């Protein structure tokens, strides 16, 4: 039946010849269409879709619904501007002609299979009070997760915050921000989302930040990004505002663990107790990181009693942190206090999934 065949909308002759050659070698019959008009009725039913750059542009411009199993073939190395278009339609793979055969052959072979990928985890980070250091800890947590070899993603969920890219020292890096994430039917492709985002650190942490065009987050977009980020075992760390708006509630409802960062101060404990109570109402597992030093000698037990939450870990000061943030971004020190506390939180999140 025609609708069960892979759909090919490739008009560049060299690329089309390669697709047909690989399909023949894989023993798969494909359906070639010349344009979007012919592709529309087959879009949702085809087990996979192969596009060239022109076909991708047509689909993205027309607002075709996202779907799984879209592959884009380029004659040369993919241009930087292709990733936003690929993300818009949900493309899973974008590659040049010389690298096409292995992934295209594999995609054709598994076109009728349903992949069973393991789910990763979502960790939300909240500040007990304004200026508690939650954004810095969220960045350290995501960098530490990336060090463990997991595909890790850091989400800035506070459009009115200072911006996580400033924390990491990369606000001018190219890539998609929240304003470039469109709400659409279907799933976001995990691999394409990661390639579209700015990357940081030696282990390529991907970061989705707010920009000047981000006035608010769409809860459905947040949900789709969380799903894409955790797909295949990924770790998604979300820096949340203290106001529990709908996007923040969407994150908390999906989170495997919420982490409350609380300075060892009387006023911070009072504010943190309110935040903790609202987080408990969502049913999200909650852990507390206590940040010292205590200016009035407040003990960890005092903080636990005031917030009504046991401390998972205490964190001593990070020497030179403020100056580093102002001049170049968070220094990632695997043996520093931030990384040590982050490892405890990651262990807790992993234990909670067992």
């Amino acid at each position: 039946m025609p609708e069960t065949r892979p759909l090919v909308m490739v008009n560049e002759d060299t690329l089309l010849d390669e697709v047909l050659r690989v399909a023949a070698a894989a023993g798969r019959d494909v359906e070639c269409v010349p344009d979007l008009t012919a592709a529309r009725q087959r879009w949702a039913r085809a087990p996979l879709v192969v596009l060239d750059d022109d076909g991708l542009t047509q689909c993205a411009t027309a607002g075709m619904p996202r779907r799984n199993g879209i592959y884009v073939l380029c004659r040369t190395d993919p241009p930087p501007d292709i990733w936003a278009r690929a993300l818009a339609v949900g493309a899973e793979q974008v590659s040049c002609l010389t690298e096409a055969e292995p992934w295209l052959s594999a995609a054709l072979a598994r076109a009728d299979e349903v992949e069973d990928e393991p789910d990763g985890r979502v960790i939300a980070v909240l500040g007990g009070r304004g200026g508690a250091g939650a954004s810095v800890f969220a960045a350290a947590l995501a960098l530490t997760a990336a060090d463990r070899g997991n595909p890790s993603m850091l989400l800035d969920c506070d459009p009115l915050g200072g911006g996580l890219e400033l924390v990491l020292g990369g606000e001018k890096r190219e890539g998609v921000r929240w304003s470039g994430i469109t709400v659409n039917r279907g799933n976001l492709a995990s691999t394409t989302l990661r390639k579209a985002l700015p990357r940081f650190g030696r282990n390529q942490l991907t970061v989705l930040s707010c920009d000047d065009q981000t006035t608010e987050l769409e809860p459905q977009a947040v949900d789709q990004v969380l799903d894409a980020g955790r797909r295949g075992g990924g770790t998604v760390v979300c820096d949340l505002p203290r106001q529990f708006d709908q996007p923040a509630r969407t994150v908390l409802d999906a989170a495997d663990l919420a982490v409350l960062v609380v300075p060892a101060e009387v006023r911070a404990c009072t504010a943190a107790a309110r935040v903790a109570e609202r987080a408990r109402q969502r049913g999200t597992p909650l852990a507390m990181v206590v940040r010292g030093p205590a200016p009035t000698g407040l003990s960890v037990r005092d903080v636990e009693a005031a917030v009504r939450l046991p401390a998972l870990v205490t964190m001593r000061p990070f020497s030179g942190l403020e100056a580093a943030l102002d001049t170049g971004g968070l220094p990632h020190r695997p043996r520093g206090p931030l990384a040590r506390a982050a490892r405890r939180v990651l262990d807790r999140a992993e234990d909670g999934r067992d």
Side-chain angles (χ1 to χ4, degrees):
M1 298 175 62
E3 63 266 25
T4 65
R5 290 183 290 168
L7 182 66
V8 177
M9 194 171 88
V10 174
N11 288 318
E12 208 284 334
D13 290 341
T14 303
L15 298 180
L16 181 58
D17 288 345
E18 178 68 4
V19 173
L20 295 177
R21 183 188 68 78
V22 174
R28 294 301 301 258
D29 187 23
V30 300
E31 182 176 9
C32 298
V33 295
D35 53 35
L36 188 57
T37 300
R40 282 185 184 276
Q41 293 184 346
R42 301 161 177 82
W43 183 261
R45 296 193 297 267
L48 67 82
V49 178
V50 182
L51 304 171
D52 58 11
D53 195 346
D54 180 65
L56 173 64
T57 300
Q58 290 185 49
C59 294
T61 302
M64 294 297 287
R66 278 194 293 261
R67 50 152 293 161
N68 295 329
I70 297 178
Y71 301 87
V72 181
L73 184 58
C74 302
R75 185 166 186 142
T76 59
D77 288 341
D81 64 355
I82 202 171
W83 296 108
R85 284 173 283 143
L87 185 62
V89 301
E92 296 182 17
Q93 177 80 33
V94 180
S95 185
C96 63
L97 178 62
T98 57
E99 300 173 352
E101 183 169 359
W103 64 258
L104 183 55
S105 179
L108 288 165
R110 64 173 185 264
D112 298 315
E113 297 177 359
V114 177
E115 295 188 12
D116 184 18
E117 294 183 314
D119 281 339
R121 59 188 56 83
V122 174
I123 304 174
V125 180
L126 298 138
R129 63 156 170 80
S135 295
V136 171
F137 186 71
L141 186 60
L143 287 165
T144 304
D147 284 349
R148 292 189 168 187
N150 298 324
S152 300
M153 185 180 297
L154 177 61
L155 305 186
D156 181 357
C157 297
D158 186 2
L160 297 180
L164 284 176
E165 290 180 338
L166 286 171
V167 173
L168 292 166
E171 64 275 13
K172 295 183 179 179
R173 296 195 186 191
E174 291 187 359
V176 171
R177 271 63 175 180
W178 271 112
S179 58
I181 301 294
T182 56
V183 176
N184 203 338
R185 298 191 300 275
N187 295 327
L188 282 169
S190 180
T191 300
T192 304
L193 176 62
R194 294 180 189 282
K195 288 186 177 181
L197 300 179
R199 291 180 288 277
F200 296 84
R202 61 180 180 273
N203 291 309
Q204 298 294 286
L205 167 69
T206 53
V207 180
L208 181 53
S209 290
C210 301
D211 58 12
D212 292 342
Q213 285 73 49
T214 310
T215 56
E216 60 181 2
L217 305 185
E218 291 281 349
Q220 186 178 348
V222 173
D223 186 60
Q224 290 180 345
V225 169
L226 292 174
D227 178 68
R230 76 192 308 174
R231 206 175 301 140
T235 298
V236 185
V237 178
C238 305
D239 182 30
L240 297 187
R242 294 177 64 248
Q243 296 78 19
F244 281 31
D245 56 11
Q246 186 54 53
R249 294 195 293 270
T250 297
V251 171
L252 288 171
D253 291 346
D256 300 282
L257 181 68
V259 180
L260 186 62
V261 180
V262 184
E265 304 163 0
V266 173
R267 289 184 62 197
C269 290
T270 301
R274 298 170 183 164
V275 177
E277 181 56 32
R278 296 187 68 183
R280 288 190 190 96
Q281 292 173 5
R282 308 302 304 181
T284 310
L286 191 60
M288 181 169 64
V289 173
V290 177
R291 183 170 68 83
T296 59
L298 206 65
S299 70
V300 174
R301 288 188 178 181
D302 292 332
V303 175
E304 291 177 326
V307 182
R308 299 185 296 279
L309 186 67
L312 175 64
V313 62
T314 59
M315 188 167 56
R316 62 179 175 79
F318 189 125
S319 178
L321 176 61
E322 296 300 328
L325 291 175
D326 275 349
T327 57
L330 177 67
H332 183 41
R333 300 176 185 171
R335 296 185 179 181
L338 279 168
R340 282 199 294 270
R343 286 193 289 271
R344 288 289 302 276
V345 169
L346 290 171
D347 289 344
R348 172 68 173 272
E350 291 173 1
D351 291 342
R353 296 294 301 276
D354 294 339

